[in-house]
Amino acid sequence: MIAVILLINLVVGILIGISGIAGFLIPITLNGFLGMPLTEALALSFISFLTSGILGALAYMKQGHLDFGIATPLCIGSLFGAFAGVQLNLIIPVDIAKILLYSVVLFSGISLIVRRQKDNEGKVASNYLRNKGVLIIMGFATAAICSLTGAGGPVLMVPLLASLGVNLRMAVGISLLDSIAIALPAFIGYFGNSNLDNMMLLAVVSVAAHGVGVLAGANFSGKINLKSLKYIVAGLAISSSCYMLAVNLIN
């Protein structure tokens, strides 16, 4: 179990550091492959997302790829949305929320490919992202869905921001900072209800492996061409959402 947790956190950390997307693979592996109870799987997933949010946001901020004008209201909304998502976990079927989540991810990924972004280098193209009220609502809604399903915030936020005209590297940086506001309350909520005896050891392994992966991925991201990064993000969003929609519809 420890070896699998270490490996999945390292790999997912690298992918998150590069594109912000892939966090959903952790709860799938822990719950589906290892058979870990959902509450404990979500607790370990969100402590990993908290780690990637802190380290990744710092790395992207140092590179100048973090717009606090967009990120701050998103984080405010996400903080409350994450608490709501944990509570919704008790009353709403998770499968319904997952279908909603990956439908939006699929739409965002397709929009990212078909949208023309020639004047998108480092600036915001959508007026929606200049409205703090809209950003708070966006943060609340995405955080509620992500904390309910166990998906990391960037899997939804990166393609969504990019499709609205945010520079891709900036979208990843903003999403990583926003994921802190999602992961912290979600981790507290799920960890408080977990029952595994070795949770502290598994949490330490998760944090260490995920942290190494995120830092490696964030450093490598700056070497990737923006056009290539766009297709990496879109490809991950479309392929992951199609796979997850198929799994949920078949089951």
Side-chain angles (χ1 to χ4, degrees), residues 102-180:
Y102 290 106
S103 295
V104 176
V105 173
L106 176 60
F107 175 78
S108 300
I110 293 173
S111 298
L112 182 55
I113 287 181
V114 301
R115 181 185 178 85
R116 291 187 177 180
Q117 295 185 308
K118 9 181 213 186
D119 58 350
N120 182 33
E121 186 71 33
K123 64 180 182 180
V124 177
S126 174
N127 289 328
Y128 291 113
L129 298 178
R130 296 188 179 92
N131 188 314
K132 287 182 172 54
V134 170
L135 289 171
I136 290 174
I137 293 172
M138 185 186 303
F140 181 91
T142 54
I145 295 172
C146 289
S147 66
L148 168 64
T149 61
V155 71
L156 180 53
M157 192 60 74
V158 170
L160 186 57
L161 288 175
S163 67
L164 289 173
V166 179
N167 172 277
L168 269 171
R169 290 195 181 101
M170 192 74 71
V172 175
I174 291 169
S175 299
L176 286 169
L177 181 62
D178 180 59
S179 69
I180 299 174

Side-chain angles (χ1 to χ4, degrees), residues 57 59-67 167 169-174 222:
Y60 275 80
M61 182 176 68
K62 289 178 181 178
Q63 297 171 13
H65 298 139
L66 185 50
D67 187 332
N167 172 277
R169 290 195 181 101
M170 192 74 71
V172 175
I174 291 169

Side-chain angles (χ1 to χ4, degrees), residues 23-241:
F24 65 92
L25 292 172
I26 296 179
I28 288 175
T29 301
L30 299 184
N31 179 248
F33 180 70
L34 292 178
M36 185 180 294
L38 184 59
T39 299
E40 284 75 7
L42 291 176
L44 291 177
S45 298
F46 280 110
I47 197 171
S48 294
F49 301 154
L50 181 60
T51 303
S52 59
I54 294 171
L55 296 179
L58 284 173
Y60 275 80
M61 182 176 68
K62 289 178 181 178
Q63 297 171 13
H65 298 139
L66 185 50
D67 187 332
F68 285 96
I70 298 174
T72 302
L74 279 177
C75 288
I76 293 172
S78 294
L79 192 62
F80 292 99
F83 277 114
V86 174
Q87 300 306 313
L88 286 172
N89 185 272
L90 303 175
I91 58 176
I92 293 180
V94 176
D95 288 343
I96 294 178
K98 285 183 177 179
I99 289 173
L100 173 61
L101 168 68
Y102 290 106
S103 295
V104 176
V105 173
L106 176 60
F107 175 78
S108 300
I110 293 173
S111 298
L112 182 55
I113 287 181
V114 301
R115 181 185 178 85
R116 291 187 177 180
Q117 295 185 308
K118 9 181 213 186
D119 58 350
N120 182 33
E121 186 71 33
K123 64 180 182 180
V124 177
S126 174
N127 289 328
Y128 291 113
L129 298 178
R130 296 188 179 92
N131 188 314
K132 287 182 172 54
V134 170
L135 289 171
I136 290 174
I137 293 172
M138 185 186 303
F140 181 91
T142 54
I145 295 172
C146 289
S147 66
L148 168 64
T149 61
V155 71
L156 180 53
M157 192 60 74
V158 170
L160 186 57
L161 288 175
S163 67
L164 289 173
V166 179
N167 172 277
L168 269 171
R169 290 195 181 101
M170 192 74 71
V172 175
I174 291 169
S175 299
L176 286 169
L177 181 62
D178 180 59
S179 69
I180 299 174
I182 299 174
L184 182 58
F187 168 69
I188 292 172
Y190 289 120
F191 190 80
N193 291 300
S194 62
N195 295 312
L196 285 183
D197 295 332
N198 59 346
M199 277 295 288
M200 288 303 299
L201 172 62
L202 298 181
V204 170
V205 172
S206 299
V207 168
H210 202 70
V212 171
V214 169
L215 290 176
N219 290 329
F220 183 68
S221 174
K223 302 174 183 176
I224 300 178
N225 177 272
L226 264 181
K227 187 175 180 181
S228 299
L229 183 59
K230 179 180 85 166
Y231 287 111
I232 290 173
V233 172
L236 283 171
I238 293 171
S239 59
S240 62
S241 59

